[in-house]
Amino acid sequence: MKHKYLLSLILLLIVVSVVAQPDTTRRDTSWSGSPHRAYRLSILDADVLEGRAMPVTITPTGERICFDKIFKIKTETGIGPAEGCLFINTEKGLMANTPIKRGSAGVCDINIAKPDFSLVLLGLKGNTYNYFNVKKQERSEHWMSTGNSENYQYQFISSADNVPLNRRAESKLFFGGRVKAWAYKADGRPETWWLFGKTEPEQLVMTPKKFLGYYAVGYQYTDKGLFIILQITSATYNAEVMDIQDMDICFDPSSFKIYENENYTKQMAAIARGRQKLRIEESKIKSDDCPGQQQRSINFQNEALNRRQENLERSRQGNVQQSIPTQQAQAQNIINYEDAIQISIYETELKICRAQKRLSEMSEQTPASSRQKQQDKITCLNRQLAAQIDTQQQIQRVSRQFPNDPGRQYAEKTKLFMRGLVGCE
C-alpha cells in the first residue's frame, strides 16, 4: 500500500492557474449547418478555460466530486495498446483518470465498491489525490493519498514550447463521423495534433498552461479559442480519444481514510516502540559480554530512530510529486538503507566479539573439533562483515550517482542490500 500512490502516468500540457478573462471565442462555427451541431457544441465547452468560471480547491474527503464529461482514451506505446477513462469537470477545473489497461477499458464508470477501484484526481488549483481500495480479508478498505497537495499544491507547467501550429491538408473523422478534426504540426516537431474546434484556422498557438486533460489529449485553449486535442501521434507515442460522453458522474469520497494521517500515527507509534526496546536492551548489557560493541550499536540505533522521525516530519512538507527532498524523506521512511547496513555491520561485529570470547575461554580439554567449529564461525563472520562493508560503500556510491532521483536510488539500494545479505550458520 505504501507505493500505490506512487503511480506512473503520462501527463502533458497542464495548467498552472487559470485566470478569468472575457470569452472572445467566435459563436459562429465552420460547421453551423452540420446535423451533429448539437453534439459538437455540447462537448466543445469548458467554462474554466474560457474564463466563465474559476477552478476550485478540492476537499479530499468532503462533498461529492462530480464530472460532466467522460473521455474514453486509447494509447499506443512501445509496450503495446491500452485504454483508459478520463473524467473532466469543465466548470471547476477537475480531471480524474482510472488506470490504463491492456486491451479494452470497458465501461467508464466510478464505482468505489469495486475491489480494484483506483482513481487519480487533479484540480487546476494544484490538488492531486489518489483514491484506491485495499482488500482486507473479505472486505475492501477505502484509502486516499493527498501527496501533501492540500498544503503544498502541485505546480503545473507546460511541457511543450509555445510554438505556432500550422494546419495540414489532412482531416479525420471521429466518433462515427460526428466530429471532424484537422491535423496540425509545428515546424521541427515530430508530433501531429488532431484538433477540433469551432473554427479551422490556418495557424494557432496553444495558450501556455491552459489545458484540461490527460495523456496529452483533452481541452486546450489557444489564441483562436477552445479546441479539443482528439489525437496526438508521434513515432513513439499515440493517444486518441475514442469517445466523449456529455453526462454527469459523481462519487462520494467521505468514506476514504487519508493515508498520510494513518501512516504518520503508525510510524510515530513504531518509533516509540523502538526506543522502548532499545532502553530494555541497554539495561541488560553485561560487563563481560562485549559491552562496548553493544552500546555502540544501541547508540546508533537511537540516532537512526531520530533520523526516522525527522524524515517522517520532512515527508509531510512539500508536494510529493515534485519535491525531491520530500520524495527522499518518504523513501527513507520505508527503509533507510544507509542506517540498515550500518546496523547490520554492528550486529556482525558484536557476533565476532562474542565468538572470539567463547574461543578464548575454551580450555585445552575442549575437543579440537569444537575449537575448529568456533574458529570456522569467526572466519565466516569476518567474510560476512567484509561483504557488508562492501555493500555499504556501494550504497553510498548510489547516493552520489543519483542525487536527484530518489526513486532510482531506492531501487538500486534495494538490489544491493538484498545481494549483500549473507549469513553464517
mmCIF file of all heavy atoms in Angstrom, residues 288-317:
data_model
loop_
_atom_site.group_PDB
_atom_site.id
_atom_site.type_symbol
_atom_site.label_atom_id
_atom_site.label_comp_id
_atom_site.label_asym_id
_atom_site.label_seq_id
_atom_site.Cartn_x
_atom_site.Cartn_y
_atom_site.Cartn_z
ATOM 1 N N ASP A 288 30.738 -8.432 30.943
ATOM 2 C CA ASP A 288 31.616 -9.437 30.357
ATOM 3 C C ASP A 288 31.136 -9.910 28.987
ATOM 4 O O ASP A 288 31.554 -10.954 28.501
ATOM 5 C CB ASP A 288 31.732 -10.644 31.297
ATOM 6 C CG ASP A 288 30.381 -11.304 31.554
ATOM 7 O OD1 ASP A 288 29.346 -10.658 31.244
ATOM 8 O OD2 ASP A 288 30.356 -12.436 32.044
ATOM 9 N N ASP A 289 30.231 -9.157 28.364
ATOM 10 C CA ASP A 289 29.649 -9.620 27.093
ATOM 11 C C ASP A 289 29.770 -8.538 26.020
ATOM 12 O O ASP A 289 28.765 -8.068 25.478
ATOM 13 C CB ASP A 289 28.173 -9.992 27.314
ATOM 14 C CG ASP A 289 27.582 -10.672 26.076
ATOM 15 O OD1 ASP A 289 28.345 -11.247 25.271
ATOM 16 O OD2 ASP A 289 26.344 -10.600 25.911
ATOM 17 N N CYS A 290 31.000 -8.131 25.731
ATOM 18 C CA CYS A 290 31.267 -7.132 24.688
ATOM 19 C C CYS A 290 30.407 -5.877 24.866
ATOM 20 O O CYS A 290 29.667 -5.473 23.953
ATOM 21 C CB CYS A 290 31.044 -7.726 23.306
ATOM 22 S SG CYS A 290 32.025 -9.208 22.956
ATOM 23 N N PRO A 291 30.459 -5.256 26.042
ATOM 24 C CA PRO A 291 29.583 -4.100 26.292
ATOM 25 C C PRO A 291 29.857 -2.930 25.361
ATOM 26 O O PRO A 291 28.935 -2.176 25.016
ATOM 27 C CB PRO A 291 29.885 -3.749 27.750
ATOM 28 C CG PRO A 291 31.264 -4.277 27.998
ATOM 29 C CD PRO A 291 31.364 -5.528 27.185
ATOM 30 N N GLY A 292 31.100 -2.738 24.944
ATOM 31 C CA GLY A 292 31.408 -1.608 24.061
ATOM 32 C C GLY A 292 30.690 -1.716 22.733
ATOM 33 O O GLY A 292 30.090 -0.735 22.244
ATOM 34 N N GLN A 293 30.724 -2.907 22.139
ATOM 35 C CA GLN A 293 30.032 -3.113 20.861
ATOM 36 C C GLN A 293 28.525 -2.967 21.022
ATOM 37 O O GLN A 293 27.850 -2.404 20.153
ATOM 38 C CB GLN A 293 30.381 -4.494 20.294
ATOM 39 C CG GLN A 293 31.762 -4.602 19.693
ATOM 40 C CD GLN A 293 32.828 -4.882 20.745
ATOM 41 O OE1 GLN A 293 32.561 -4.820 21.955
ATOM 42 N NE2 GLN A 293 34.040 -5.175 20.300
ATOM 43 N N GLN A 294 27.999 -3.481 22.116
ATOM 44 C CA GLN A 294 26.551 -3.383 22.334
ATOM 45 C C GLN A 294 26.116 -1.929 22.481
ATOM 46 O O GLN A 294 25.108 -1.513 21.904
ATOM 47 C CB GLN A 294 26.165 -4.175 23.589
ATOM 48 C CG GLN A 294 26.270 -5.683 23.431
ATOM 49 C CD GLN A 294 25.704 -6.392 24.649
ATOM 50 O OE1 GLN A 294 24.500 -6.334 24.898
ATOM 51 N NE2 GLN A 294 26.562 -7.056 25.407
ATOM 52 N N GLN A 295 26.869 -1.172 23.265
ATOM 53 C CA GLN A 295 26.496 0.225 23.491
ATOM 54 C C GLN A 295 26.603 1.032 22.206
ATOM 55 O O GLN A 295 25.752 1.888 21.930
ATOM 56 C CB GLN A 295 27.383 0.834 24.571
ATOM 57 C CG GLN A 295 26.920 2.201 25.038
ATOM 58 C CD GLN A 295 25.564 2.154 25.715
ATOM 59 O OE1 GLN A 295 25.386 1.465 26.727
ATOM 60 N NE2 GLN A 295 24.582 2.884 25.176
ATOM 61 N N ARG A 296 27.646 0.771 21.429
ATOM 62 C CA ARG A 296 27.803 1.493 20.161
ATOM 63 C C ARG A 296 26.626 1.219 19.230
ATOM 64 O O ARG A 296 26.100 2.133 18.579
ATOM 65 C CB ARG A 296 29.113 1.086 19.500
ATOM 66 C CG ARG A 296 29.406 1.845 18.213
ATOM 67 C CD ARG A 296 30.807 1.591 17.711
ATOM 68 N NE ARG A 296 31.037 0.169 17.444
ATOM 69 C CZ ARG A 296 32.108 -0.296 16.813
ATOM 70 N NH1 ARG A 296 33.060 0.538 16.418
ATOM 71 N NH2 ARG A 296 32.262 -1.586 16.615
ATOM 72 N N SER A 297 26.192 -0.047 19.178
ATOM 73 C CA SER A 297 25.055 -0.405 18.318
ATOM 74 C C SER A 297 23.768 0.264 18.798
ATOM 75 O O SER A 297 22.995 0.811 18.007
ATOM 76 C CB SER A 297 24.883 -1.918 18.289
ATOM 77 O OG SER A 297 23.744 -2.275 17.521
ATOM 78 N N ILE A 298 23.545 0.251 20.126
ATOM 79 C CA ILE A 298 22.328 0.869 20.670
ATOM 80 C C ILE A 298 22.329 2.368 20.418
ATOM 81 O O ILE A 298 21.297 2.953 20.048
ATOM 82 C CB ILE A 298 22.213 0.547 22.168
ATOM 83 C CG1 ILE A 298 21.843 -0.930 22.355
ATOM 84 C CG2 ILE A 298 21.171 1.444 22.842
ATOM 85 C CD1 ILE A 298 21.892 -1.398 23.792
ATOM 86 N N ASN A 299 23.475 3.008 20.605
ATOM 87 C CA ASN A 299 23.556 4.457 20.355
ATOM 88 C C ASN A 299 23.214 4.782 18.904
ATOM 89 O O ASN A 299 22.485 5.745 18.621
ATOM 90 C CB ASN A 299 24.951 4.975 20.685
ATOM 91 C CG ASN A 299 25.239 4.962 22.168
ATOM 92 O OD1 ASN A 299 24.319 4.836 22.989
ATOM 93 N ND2 ASN A 299 26.508 5.074 22.541
ATOM 94 N N PHE A 300 23.762 3.985 17.993
ATOM 95 C CA PHE A 300 23.493 4.245 16.573
ATOM 96 C C PHE A 300 22.021 4.018 16.245
ATOM 97 O O PHE A 300 21.421 4.784 15.478
ATOM 98 C CB PHE A 300 24.364 3.359 15.690
ATOM 99 C CG PHE A 300 24.192 3.636 14.220
ATOM 100 C CD1 PHE A 300 24.903 4.660 13.607
ATOM 101 C CD2 PHE A 300 23.290 2.901 13.448
ATOM 102 C CE1 PHE A 300 24.729 4.946 12.258
ATOM 103 C CE2 PHE A 300 23.112 3.182 12.102
ATOM 104 C CZ PHE A 300 23.835 4.195 11.512
ATOM 105 N N GLN A 301 21.421 2.969 16.795
ATOM 106 C CA GLN A 301 20.012 2.698 16.515
ATOM 107 C C GLN A 301 19.123 3.825 17.038
ATOM 108 O O GLN A 301 18.106 4.155 16.423
ATOM 109 C CB GLN A 301 19.608 1.355 17.128
ATOM 110 C CG GLN A 301 20.220 0.161 16.430
ATOM 111 C CD GLN A 301 19.791 -1.153 17.048
ATOM 112 O OE1 GLN A 301 18.620 -1.535 16.979
ATOM 113 N NE2 GLN A 301 20.736 -1.846 17.677
ATOM 114 N N ASN A 302 19.490 4.401 18.180
ATOM 115 C CA ASN A 302 18.741 5.557 18.680
ATOM 116 C C ASN A 302 18.869 6.747 17.728
ATOM 117 O O ASN A 302 17.895 7.458 17.459
ATOM 118 C CB ASN A 302 19.235 5.947 20.080
ATOM 119 C CG ASN A 302 18.511 5.200 21.187
ATOM 120 O OD1 ASN A 302 17.285 5.114 21.170
ATOM 121 N ND2 ASN A 302 19.261 4.670 22.145
ATOM 122 N N GLU A 303 20.090 6.965 17.210
ATOM 123 C CA GLU A 303 20.278 8.028 16.229
ATOM 124 C C GLU A 303 19.454 7.754 14.969
ATOM 125 O O GLU A 303 18.894 8.691 14.369
ATOM 126 C CB GLU A 303 21.761 8.142 15.880
ATOM 127 C CG GLU A 303 22.630 8.635 17.024
ATOM 128 C CD GLU A 303 24.115 8.472 16.729
ATOM 129 O OE1 GLU A 303 24.437 8.047 15.588
ATOM 130 O OE2 GLU A 303 24.937 8.769 17.608
ATOM 131 N N ALA A 304 19.398 6.492 14.560
ATOM 132 C CA ALA A 304 18.620 6.127 13.376
ATOM 133 C C ALA A 304 17.134 6.400 13.597
ATOM 134 O O ALA A 304 16.423 6.844 12.683
ATOM 135 C CB ALA A 304 18.851 4.661 13.021
ATOM 136 N N LEU A 305 16.647 6.132 14.801
ATOM 137 C CA LEU A 305 15.248 6.428 15.110
ATOM 138 C C LEU A 305 14.990 7.933 15.079
ATOM 139 O O LEU A 305 13.922 8.375 14.635
ATOM 140 C CB LEU A 305 14.871 5.857 16.476
ATOM 141 C CG LEU A 305 14.710 4.335 16.543
ATOM 142 C CD1 LEU A 305 14.501 3.883 17.977
ATOM 143 C CD2 LEU A 305 13.550 3.864 15.669
ATOM 144 N N ASN A 306 15.953 8.719 15.535
ATOM 145 C CA ASN A 306 15.804 10.180 15.455
ATOM 146 C C ASN A 306 15.727 10.629 13.996
ATOM 147 O O ASN A 306 14.914 11.485 13.638
ATOM 148 C CB ASN A 306 16.975 10.868 16.147
ATOM 149 C CG ASN A 306 16.947 10.691 17.651
ATOM 150 O OD1 ASN A 306 15.893 10.412 18.234
ATOM 151 N ND2 ASN A 306 18.095 10.842 18.294
ATOM 152 N N ARG A 307 16.586 10.038 13.153
ATOM 153 C CA ARG A 307 16.548 10.380 11.723
ATOM 154 C C ARG A 307 15.228 9.947 11.108
ATOM 155 O O ARG A 307 14.665 10.651 10.246
ATOM 156 C CB ARG A 307 17.720 9.729 10.986
ATOM 157 C CG ARG A 307 19.037 10.443 11.169
ATOM 158 C CD ARG A 307 20.097 9.873 10.245
ATOM 159 N NE ARG A 307 20.513 8.539 10.653
ATOM 160 C CZ ARG A 307 21.465 8.290 11.548
ATOM 161 N NH1 ARG A 307 22.093 9.303 12.128
ATOM 162 N NH2 ARG A 307 21.804 7.046 11.850
ATOM 163 N N ARG A 308 14.738 8.792 11.537
ATOM 164 C CA ARG A 308 13.449 8.316 11.014
ATOM 165 C C ARG A 308 12.332 9.296 11.345
ATOM 166 O O ARG A 308 11.481 9.590 10.498
ATOM 167 C CB ARG A 308 13.144 6.934 11.595
ATOM 168 C CG ARG A 308 11.862 6.297 11.080
ATOM 169 C CD ARG A 308 11.696 4.910 11.653
ATOM 170 N NE ARG A 308 10.402 4.338 11.315
ATOM 171 C CZ ARG A 308 9.975 3.152 11.749
ATOM 172 N NH1 ARG A 308 10.760 2.412 12.526
ATOM 173 N NH2 ARG A 308 8.776 2.697 11.404
ATOM 174 N N GLN A 309 12.333 9.807 12.565
ATOM 175 C CA GLN A 309 11.302 10.779 12.939
ATOM 176 C C GLN A 309 11.467 12.082 12.160
ATOM 177 O O GLN A 309 10.476 12.685 11.713
ATOM 178 C CB GLN A 309 11.340 11.054 14.436
ATOM 179 C CG GLN A 309 10.232 11.992 14.896
ATOM 180 C CD GLN A 309 10.131 12.083 16.405
ATOM 181 O OE1 GLN A 309 10.727 11.296 17.132
ATOM 182 N NE2 GLN A 309 9.369 13.066 16.895
ATOM 183 N N GLU A 310 12.705 12.520 11.982
ATOM 184 C CA GLU A 310 12.952 13.734 11.196
ATOM 185 C C GLU A 310 12.466 13.557 9.761
ATOM 186 O O GLU A 310 11.852 14.463 9.181
ATOM 187 C CB GLU A 310 14.444 14.063 11.214
ATOM 188 C CG GLU A 310 14.951 14.548 12.567
ATOM 189 C CD GLU A 310 16.467 14.621 12.621
ATOM 190 O OE1 GLU A 310 17.103 14.349 11.569
ATOM 191 O OE2 GLU A 310 17.016 14.945 13.689
ATOM 192 N N ASN A 311 12.740 12.394 9.173
ATOM 193 C CA ASN A 311 12.277 12.127 7.809
ATOM 194 C C ASN A 311 10.762 12.054 7.741
ATOM 195 O O ASN A 311 10.153 12.474 6.748
ATOM 196 C CB ASN A 311 12.886 10.818 7.289
ATOM 197 C CG ASN A 311 14.316 10.984 6.843
ATOM 198 O OD1 ASN A 311 14.684 12.005 6.279
ATOM 199 N ND2 ASN A 311 15.146 9.979 7.104
ATOM 200 N N LEU A 312 10.162 11.514 8.791
ATOM 201 C CA LEU A 312 8.696 11.441 8.830
ATOM 202 C C LEU A 312 8.094 12.837 8.810
ATOM 203 O O LEU A 312 7.124 13.096 8.077
ATOM 204 C CB LEU A 312 8.250 10.680 10.073
ATOM 205 C CG LEU A 312 6.746 10.455 10.239
ATOM 206 C CD1 LEU A 312 6.199 9.645 9.068
ATOM 207 C CD2 LEU A 312 6.454 9.738 11.563
ATOM 208 N N GLU A 313 8.674 13.751 9.578
ATOM 209 C CA GLU A 313 8.180 15.133 9.576
ATOM 210 C C GLU A 313 8.462 15.802 8.235
ATOM 211 O O GLU A 313 7.625 16.534 7.696
ATOM 212 C CB GLU A 313 8.834 15.930 10.704
ATOM 213 C CG GLU A 313 8.553 15.399 12.111
ATOM 214 C CD GLU A 313 7.094 15.502 12.502
ATOM 215 O OE1 GLU A 313 6.342 16.250 11.840
ATOM 216 O OE2 GLU A 313 6.695 14.839 13.490
ATOM 217 N N ARG A 314 9.636 15.545 7.676
ATOM 218 C CA ARG A 314 10.005 16.150 6.396
ATOM 219 C C ARG A 314 9.130 15.620 5.260
ATOM 220 O O ARG A 314 8.837 16.340 4.308
ATOM 221 C CB ARG A 314 11.476 15.873 6.103
ATOM 222 C CG ARG A 314 12.065 16.738 4.983
ATOM 223 C CD ARG A 314 13.545 16.468 4.804
ATOM 224 N NE ARG A 314 14.294 16.814 6.013
ATOM 225 C CZ ARG A 314 14.974 15.940 6.749
ATOM 226 N NH1 ARG A 314 15.020 14.675 6.401
ATOM 227 N NH2 ARG A 314 15.625 16.332 7.821
ATOM 228 N N SER A 315 8.695 14.375 5.368
ATOM 229 C CA SER A 315 7.872 13.792 4.307
ATOM 230 C C SER A 315 6.497 14.432 4.221
ATOM 231 O O SER A 315 5.785 14.252 3.233
ATOM 232 C CB SER A 315 7.715 12.286 4.531
ATOM 233 O OG SER A 315 6.885 12.011 5.659
ATOM 234 N N ARG A 316 6.113 15.186 5.239
ATOM 235 C CA ARG A 316 4.820 15.876 5.242
ATOM 236 C C ARG A 316 4.935 17.303 4.729
ATOM 237 O O ARG A 316 3.958 18.041 4.732
ATOM 238 C CB ARG A 316 4.246 15.871 6.662
ATOM 239 C CG ARG A 316 3.878 14.479 7.151
ATOM 240 C CD ARG A 316 3.811 14.390 8.666
ATOM 241 N NE ARG A 316 2.770 15.196 9.258
ATOM 242 C CZ ARG A 316 1.495 14.815 9.414
ATOM 243 N NH1 ARG A 316 1.123 13.620 8.996
ATOM 244 N NH2 ARG A 316 0.615 15.597 9.990
ATOM 245 N N GLN A 317 6.130 17.683 4.290
ATOM 246 C CA GLN A 317 6.371 19.036 3.794
ATOM 247 C C GLN A 317 6.788 18.972 2.335
ATOM 248 O O GLN A 317 7.730 18.266 1.993
ATOM 249 C CB GLN A 317 7.466 19.712 4.617
ATOM 250 C CG GLN A 317 7.146 19.797 6.096
ATOM 251 C CD GLN A 317 8.330 20.251 6.920
ATOM 252 O OE1 GLN A 317 9.293 20.780 6.377
ATOM 253 N NE2 GLN A 317 8.270 20.042 8.227
#
